[in-house]
């Protein structure tokens, strides 16, 4: 067994193994120890073990040990502030193992790999190394008045935006960017952007204020990167209640026209569940926006709904494949086939596809390099402040070509 590459991003402190096959555990222990990696056995209550021992980086877990509830273990791990990253192993059929991986991922756990026995120490180390150091940020405890400060920040336009670049797979060029809340709230500190949106949606006026703010700042950013020679529209997420409000189409049209822009410069993103659950008024507004030339993106595709049968019923121009499908595709042939099917289906209908959550070279290698497909993810470029994006935007093709070459070289070994 080879020691970890000194240039790898993985920094091992401890690996915990949970399996009832003694020979398997012994072989892994010997292999990891030889590579200078500390190995420890876990207590029966995995949640308590990792809460008391936060130094562990990876858990090698067989969730199908006889007489134990592996699904309960996954639930306990997901409830920790800083859960370990996981490699699932077992002798069960691949579809059963993949389903366990899907359960873990759906609970927010980072799954580096799902491996069917027989598995060698090198197989597991390779999976861990390819995963990189998957960090779980600590969950912040917000002060009691945080909701009030969030609402104040929205109404004072004092939030900040980051921008997640979209990269075209045909030429690896900058293809636009998605406007995202940074999470910085004055007087509070960092707040999960999803929570900021949830607070805003409690009040119709506040939700619309947040929508207008992100649209304004997003369009300003589009003008900035266009002036720097970067081509591509800005994408802005809109909550369902804003889409369904009277005057929304007119607001969007006015914000674009007053800047001398055209509708094709803006893509309105809505979550898959929001689009499917929208009222007739919301669907009517989507049609109006589409007829005016605005892009309409179906975000988080595959996260909660099957959706494929309904693609032909919606006035959309783009489908964004959710990160949960991308992560599942790392070990599931069925998920990889689903991504290819969605790409082909959308391509035949003139709908572009963006694959979200591209975090590893393996993810990149699974996506066809052709027109109409783009990617997002921190493999190449993380979300950036606007000034950082303007500096890095022109370097994206060089960065991506280096990554693609590294991935091809690794695949040949």
């Amino acid at each position: 067994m080879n020691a970890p590459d000194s240039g790898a991003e993985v920094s091992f402190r401890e690996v915990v193994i949970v399996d009832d096959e003694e020979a398997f555990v012994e072989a892994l222990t010997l292999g990891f120890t030889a590579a200078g990696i500390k190995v420890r056995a876990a207590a029966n209550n995995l949640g308590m073990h990792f809460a008391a021992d936060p130094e562990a980086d990876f858990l090698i877990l067989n969730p199908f040990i006889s007489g134990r509830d592996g699904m309960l273990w996954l639930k306990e791990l997901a409830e920790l502030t800083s859960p370990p990253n996981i490699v699932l192993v077992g002798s069960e059929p691949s579809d059963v193992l993949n389903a366990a991986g899907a359960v873990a991922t759906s609970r927010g756990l980072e799954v580096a790999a799902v491996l069917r026995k027989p598995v060698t120490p090198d197989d597991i180390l390779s999976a861990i190394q390819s995963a990189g150091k998957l960090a779980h940020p600590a969950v912040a405890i917000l002060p009691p008045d945080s909701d009030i400060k969030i609402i104040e920040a929205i109404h004072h336009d004092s939030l900040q935006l980051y921008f997640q670049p979209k990269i075209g797979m045909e030429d690896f060029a900058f293809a636009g960017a998605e406007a995202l809340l940074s999470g910085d709230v004055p007087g509070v500190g960092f707040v999960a952007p999803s929570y900021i949106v949830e607070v805003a949606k409690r009040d119709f006026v506040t939700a619309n204020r947040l929508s207008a703010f992100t649209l304004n700042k997003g369009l300003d950013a589009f003008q900035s990167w266009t002036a720097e020679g970067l081509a591509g529209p800005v994408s802005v997420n809109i909550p369902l209640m804003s889409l369904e409000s009277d005057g929304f189409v007119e607001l969007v049209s006015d914000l674009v026209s007053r800047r001398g822009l055209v509708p094709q410069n803006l893509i309105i993103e809505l979550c898959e569940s929001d689009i499917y659950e929208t009222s007739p008024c919301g669907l009517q507004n989507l049609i109006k926006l589409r007829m005016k030339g605005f892009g309409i993106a179906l975000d988080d595709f595959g996260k909660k709904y099957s959706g494929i049968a309904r693609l032909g019923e919606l006035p959309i121009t783009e489908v964004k494949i959710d990160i949960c499908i991308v992560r599942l595709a790392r070990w599931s042939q069925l998920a990889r086939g689903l991504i290819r099917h969605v790409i082909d289906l959308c391509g035949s209908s003139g709908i572009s596809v963006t694959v979200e959550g591209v975090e590893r070279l393996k993810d990149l290698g699974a996506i066809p390099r052709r027109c109409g497909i783009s990617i997002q993810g921190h493999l190449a470029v993380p979300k950036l402040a606007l000034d950082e994006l303007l500096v890095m935007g022109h370097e994206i093709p060089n960065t991506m070509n280096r990554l693609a070459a590294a991935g091809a070289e690794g695949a040949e070994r």
Side-chain angles (χ1 to χ4, degrees):
M1 179 174 182
N2 299 319
D5 186 345
S6 60
E9 295 181 2
V10 182
S11 177
F12 293 100
R13 293 172 297 190
E14 179 179 307
V15 171
V16 174
I17 305 172
V18 179
D19 195 285
D20 59 351
E21 186 182 336
E22 292 184 5
F24 176 70
V25 174
E26 182 179 355
L28 291 188
T29 300
L30 289 172
F32 281 121
T33 301
I37 300 168
K38 184 178 179 180
V39 178
R40 187 176 299 182
N44 288 340
N45 187 322
L46 288 184
M48 290 178 61
H49 174 88
F50 283 101
D53 182 19
E55 292 297 301
D57 290 305
F58 282 91
L59 167 65
I60 300 167
L61 172 65
N62 181 350
F64 300 104
I65 295 175
S66 178
R68 302 292 177 87
D69 188 346
M71 298 302 103
L72 178 60
W73 279 342
L74 295 177
K75 180 177 181 293
E76 290 177 353
L77 291 167
E79 291 170 351
L80 296 176
T81 299
S82 184
N85 303 295
I86 299 174
V87 175
L88 293 179
V89 297
S91 301
E92 284 64 30
S94 295
D95 57 341
V96 176
L97 286 168
N98 289 340
V103 170
T105 301
S106 69
R107 290 193 176 278
L109 295 168
E110 291 282 4
V111 180
V114 176
L115 303 174
R116 188 167 187 263
K117 294 179 179 179
V119 177
T120 68
D122 279 321
D123 293 333
I124 294 178
L125 182 58
S126 176
I128 291 175
Q129 286 180 315
S130 68
K133 186 69 179 73
L134 305 173
H136 290 267
V139 177
I141 299 176
L142 299 177
D145 62 346
S146 60
D147 288 9
I148 295 174
K149 292 185 180 297
I150 290 170
I151 293 172
E152 289 176 348
I154 293 172
H155 285 277
H156 292 142
D157 292 342
S158 56
L159 298 176
Q160 302 296 320
L161 295 184
Y162 282 151
F163 296 89
Q164 175 73 65
K166 294 167 68 174
I167 301 168
M169 285 298 291
E170 182 180 23
D171 54 8
F172 286 153
F174 175 85
E178 178 183 357
L180 300 167
L181 293 171
S182 71
D184 296 318
V185 178
V188 179
F190 178 79
V191 178
S194 59
Y195 185 73
I196 295 174
V197 174
E198 287 305 311
V199 171
K201 286 163 62 176
R202 296 173 191 168
D203 171 17
F204 178 82
V205 174
T206 303
N208 282 351
R209 180 77 181 216
L210 180 60
S211 295
F213 169 79
T214 53
L215 284 165
N216 269 303
K217 292 296 184 182
L219 290 167
D220 288 346
F222 167 81
Q223 290 181 297
S224 295
W225 70 61
T226 300
E228 294 295 323
L230 295 170
V234 62
S235 300
V236 177
N237 291 276
I238 297 296
L240 179 61
M241 62 194 310
S242 292
L243 171 70
E244 293 177 338
S245 63
D246 293 335
F248 179 73
V249 175
E250 290 72 19
L251 168 67
V252 175
S253 300
D254 180 62
L255 292 177
V256 169
S257 64
R258 74 168 66 163
R259 290 173 168 82
L261 304 178
V262 296
Q264 289 77 11
N265 300 144
L266 173 64
I267 297 174
I268 300 295
E269 290 194 13
L270 291 108
C271 293
E272 181 183 20
S273 56
D274 281 350
I275 287 187
Y276 293 156
E277 295 170 3
T278 187
S279 65
C281 178
L283 185 57
Q284 180 176 301
N285 281 346
L286 276 180
I287 293 171
K288 288 181 179 179
L289 289 166
R290 181 70 186 91
M291 294 300 292
K292 286 178 176 290
F294 291 99
I296 307 294
L298 179 63
D299 197 14
D300 298 335
F301 182 81
K303 188 173 184 179
K304 293 182 179 179
Y305 295 77
S306 57
I308 292 179
R310 297 202 58 187
L311 288 180
E313 303 173 5
L314 300 169
I316 58 175
T317 59
E318 179 183 4
V319 165
K320 303 189 75 174
I321 298 176
D322 189 71
I323 187 173
C324 70
I325 301 296
V326 176
R327 288 176 173 171
L328 186 60
R330 292 167 189 165
W331 61 79
S332 168
Q333 184 175 354
L334 182 62
R336 290 192 292 273
L338 175 61
I339 291 175
R340 291 192 296 270
H341 177 62
V342 171
I343 287 174
D344 291 341
L345 180 64
C346 289
S348 65
S349 302
I351 299 172
S352 64
V353 174
T354 296
V355 182
E356 299 183 292
V358 177
E359 302 166 334
R360 307 181 192 173
L361 290 175
K362 187 174 183 179
D363 301 339
L364 181 62
I367 303 168
R369 289 199 62 179
R370 63 176 189 246
C371 182
I373 305 171
S374 59
I375 61 171
Q376 287 180 286
H378 62 66
L379 173 67
V381 186
K383 59 183 182 180
L384 303 167
L386 179 59
D387 56 348
E388 296 173 317
L389 174 62
L390 298 180
V391 171
M392 295 182 62
H394 291 290
E395 290 301 314
I396 289 176
N398 293 333
T399 301
M400 291 301 302
N401 280 310
R402 286 195 297 270
L403 289 169
E409 181 180 347
E412 292 173 359
R413 291 178 180 175

